[in-house]
Amino acid sequence: MKSASLATEYHSDRQADDDHELASTCKALGHPVRIRILQFLKRVDRCICGEIVETLPLAQSTVSQHLKILKEVGLVIGEIEGPRTCYCLDKEKLTRLKKLIAGL
Amino acid sequence: MKSASLATEYHSDRQADDDHELASTCKALGHPVRIRILQFLKRVDRCICGEIVETLPLAQSTVSQHLKILKEVGLVIGEIEGPRTCYCLDKEKLTRLKKLIAGL
DNA sequence: ATCGGTTATCGTCGATAGGCGATAAAGCAT
DNA sequence: ATGCTTTATCGCCTATCGACGATAACCGAT
């Protein structure tokens, strides 16, 4: 059961979904360390977690948390390769973000 | 006194400033209500606070807080007009955001 | 089977975010 | 001066964030 609220008066459900997607993606980008991680991944294309940890003045567990957040919104993909995890950007998701931002 | 840390190894100060600007701007965008406010301001160009409150299912104080956050990062400008405040987008800041996002 | 290397998760802590009602502040009108 | 309208701020509460160390989980090699 879904009631129309004042808040959706001017917005289709489709639009509301976009709003939430954009907000949650931006929230994930709302920390300088996570921006750095994205830029690093763009430069190196793909790398294992340990390399990312080396570039940052943070504990391994903290970096792993940031990577988890980026994974949850789909900006980053992590593939398990034996004992390690290989990370890379999801370029499609990044493109979609750019499109949503450009529409503001 | 500024020491070079491992974290800045691949980043100029200029780049670090951009990272922080982008992160804090994205952080401000990281809530669906604030996305809605920006879109509403785009549609109506400019309006007083009360009109924004009417479009949202939130208390006036809550909306005022969201507007404060958008003002702090410069996405929104608030001009006091007598007893009320007139809000509008800062299109230059929005353009800069789009540029920074496009560079990711 | 155990060890070494790598990454994810847990638990904890202080700080911040997000919501609200109540109240202050400011300008206009009476 | 008193009110009325509008907006900002305060205080409170709960929930989430961000950092860390410790530990678990996983795999490959010995």
Side-chain angles (χ1 to χ4, degrees), chain B residues 39-48 51-52 87:
Chain B
Q39 290 168 340
F40 182 74
L41 285 177
K42 183 184 180 186
R43 282 202 307 114
V44 302
D45 193 43
R46 42 193 290 119
C47 69
I48 62 170
E51 295 181 61
I52 300 174
Y87 283 99

Side-chain angles (χ1 to χ4, degrees), chain B residues 27-28 34 64-74:
Chain B
K27 191 174 179 180
R34 294 195 287 268
S64 191
Q65 272 290 344
H66 284 301
L67 284 167
K68 184 183 182 186
I69 290 169
L70 291 171
K71 264 191 298 182
E72 280 172 354
V73 298

